[in-house]
Amino acid sequence: MSSSMSRSMASCTITLKDGKLFVLEMALKEGLAPKKLTILIMVIIVAGMSQGMLLPLLTILLDRSGVSTDANGLNAAALYIGIFSTMFFIEKPVRRFGYKPVIMVGMGLVIAANCLFPAWQHIGFWFVLRLMVGVGDSALHYATQLWIVTSSPKEHRGRNITLYGMAYGIGFSLGPVGITLLKVGIWGPFLTTSSFFIVILLLMTRLKNERPERGERVEAVHKRASKVAAMAWFPLITSLLYGYMEASMNSNFPLYGLRIGLSEANIGVLLPVMGVGGLIMQLPLGIWSDRIGRKKILISSGLIGALAFLCIPFAGTKLWLIGLLFAIAGGMVGSFFSLGLAYAADILPRHLLPTANVLASIQYSVGSIAGPLIGGMAIRYSSAASIFYVLSLIYVLFALSGLMFRRERAA
């Protein structure tokens, strides 16, 4: 009986290794089934497409209807208010109900908002819908990234979480293409995005639900947060820096460009270059961090990014040189959020990972709010180039703080 079973198992192993299912065997060894990872990546691509389309699309439609630029900008802030506020309560439902229901509810909120946007073009109504989108996006992103991090073994965690970052970047870059669907009517972009979400929602039903691990005893939220901050303060700084950099560049670089004599068209071409650099380097940095250590990669990337930002003012109005420096800077620091989460997962016990993700998302939101404010004040009271000097300085300080961080003490 046992010898027969052994022969059966051996033949199964040979079949798996020689046939097409070898990838499945390897994925099972790695702790993350291909189907699960593929569906979760598809969720993020569609979520990125939705957000990348809604931001410019709604701004254009409100501008067409005669809404002032101030009111338009305030309305756009509703999305980030929704994202920020969700982080204060999302951990509890994920722990109680699991990842899958939270992701599906998040997608449901985005679908509902997308279907309602063209129904009534009113600025107050759209403010509420943007809040809904922010809550839905925040919920599905939080649950998805946490599911990927907790399901991935340490040796493949960096690769898998950077795949998550790449998926969002690709989706966000494709999103603005949806604006062209306005030629078929105002419903075109919204219904197209909703249909993509519905397809992914159906695929999600095929996944088995999972929940985060619990500690031996239930601790108060503030105690878990204090532990996470004490044990993984360095990895979590990355989310603050990423939010600051992204928001500062999107809001302040156009002002810098106009002041040095760049045209609006040139500015529009240069901004995506930073995102492209981040996309190109996401996977290599993730794989290298698995092999040589995430701390070394984060410190090195921070220093190279700081140098690139510092050199931008000296490029003058040379578009090719600014674009090259943007690509280098974006490539180096564009993976900070995902690599920081992966590094935190290396350090923290599994039952503290949901709390770590909450803190990372809160810090990202704080950085996103602080970036435009600090950059705007620097331009007003110092010089236009000061936004890059500030960015360079904070990444140098980050690298120096990494030299003081001792993982052994944290563990």
Side-chain angles (χ1 to χ4, degrees), residues 8-180:
S8 175
M9 290 177 66
S11 64
C12 179
T13 304
I14 292 171
T15 302
L16 286 171
K17 289 185 177 180
D18 292 342
K20 295 180 180 179
L21 295 179
F22 177 61
V23 176
L24 176 59
E25 182 194 20
M26 293 302 297
L28 291 174
K29 286 181 180 179
E30 294 171 8
L32 189 61
K35 182 176 75 172
K36 182 201 296 184
L37 180 59
T38 301
I39 293 175
L40 294 180
I41 291 299
M42 291 173 69
V43 169
I44 297 306
I45 290 176
V46 175
M49 288 174 61
S50 172
Q51 193 166 337
M53 182 195 74
L54 286 178
L55 287 170
L57 176 63
L58 297 180
T59 299
I60 290 170
L61 293 175
L62 285 176
D63 186 66
R64 283 184 182 178
S65 62
V67 174
S68 68
T69 55
D70 291 346
N72 206 330
L74 181 61
N75 195 264
L79 175 71
Y80 298 102
I81 294 172
I83 292 173
F84 182 72
S85 61
T86 306
M87 287 300 103
F88 292 99
F89 64 81
I90 191 62
E91 182 181 358
K92 190 171 182 180
V94 170
R95 288 185 180 275
R96 181 175 179 182
F97 301 109
Y99 305 114
K100 178 179 170 180
V102 172
I103 293 172
M104 296 179 74
V105 169
M107 285 194 288
L109 287 173
V110 179
I111 291 170
N114 270 295
C115 292
L116 291 172
F117 273 119
W120 185 26
Q121 295 186 56
H122 185 273
I123 189 169
F125 182 58
W126 279 17
F127 187 90
V128 175
L129 294 182
R130 275 177 153 166
L131 283 174
M132 282 178 57
V133 172
V135 172
D137 270 342
S138 184
L140 69 88
H141 276 290
Y142 173 80
T144 304
Q145 68 192 22
L146 184 59
W147 203 352
I148 292 174
V149 167
T150 55
S151 300
S152 301
K154 179 182 175 182
E155 61 271 19
H156 296 290
R157 188 173 291 138
R159 182 198 64 187
N160 290 344
I161 196 62
T162 48
L163 284 174
Y164 162 90
M166 285 180 65
Y168 178 76
I170 291 169
F172 194 86
S173 300
L174 292 174
V177 178
I179 298 174
T180 61

Side-chain angles (χ1 to χ4, degrees), residues 162-367:
T162 48
L163 284 174
Y164 162 90
M166 285 180 65
Y168 178 76
I170 291 169
F172 194 86
S173 300
L174 292 174
V177 178
I179 298 174
T180 61
L181 295 173
L182 281 174
K183 62 186 178 184
V184 301
I186 191 173
W187 288 89
F190 298 104
L191 291 184
T192 301
T193 304
S194 297
S195 64
F196 283 131
F197 267 117
I198 291 171
V199 171
I200 304 302
L201 197 60
L202 294 174
L203 291 176
M204 280 293 302
T205 60
R206 302 174 61 185
L207 292 184
K208 181 181 178 182
N209 188 30
E210 297 176 16
R211 291 179 174 83
E213 290 186 13
R214 292 180 177 271
E216 294 181 0
R217 58 191 180 89
V218 179
E219 296 177 307
V221 174
H222 69 278
K223 288 186 177 180
R224 293 200 303 269
S226 299
K227 281 187 176 181
V228 169
M231 296 170 68
W233 58 268
F234 175 68
L236 293 178
I237 291 176
T238 58
S239 57
L240 179 71
L241 296 187
Y242 180 76
Y244 180 94
M245 182 275 297
E246 185 181 57
S248 179
M249 284 295 93
N250 287 330
S251 300
N252 298 138
F253 176 70
L255 298 176
Y256 168 84
L258 291 173
R259 292 201 175 191
I260 67 170
L262 297 179
S263 67
E264 293 180 359
N266 290 336
I267 294 169
V269 170
L270 286 171
L271 272 177
V273 172
M274 188 168 288
V276 171
L279 279 176
I280 292 172
M281 292 303 298
Q282 280 267 356
L283 191 57
L285 288 176
I287 294 173
W288 293 337
S289 74
D290 287 332
R291 294 177 180 175
I292 66 176
R294 288 183 235 291
K295 180 180 173 181
K296 292 179 181 178
I297 291 294
L298 286 170
I299 291 176
S300 301
S301 298
L303 289 174
I304 297 172
L307 181 61
F309 281 123
L310 183 63
C311 292
I312 289 174
F314 300 99
T317 57
K318 297 176 182 176
L319 294 181
W320 68 270
L321 186 53
I322 298 175
L324 177 62
L325 293 171
F326 264 33
I328 294 172
M332 291 298 100
V333 303
S335 304
F336 260 42
F337 189 94
S338 53
L339 285 180
L341 285 179
Y343 192 20
D346 294 341
I347 296 170
L348 297 169
R350 284 185 176 268
H351 72 278
L352 290 179
L353 291 183
T355 306
N357 276 48
V358 168
L359 292 179
S361 298
I362 290 175
Q363 290 198 134
Y364 169 79
S365 299
V366 171

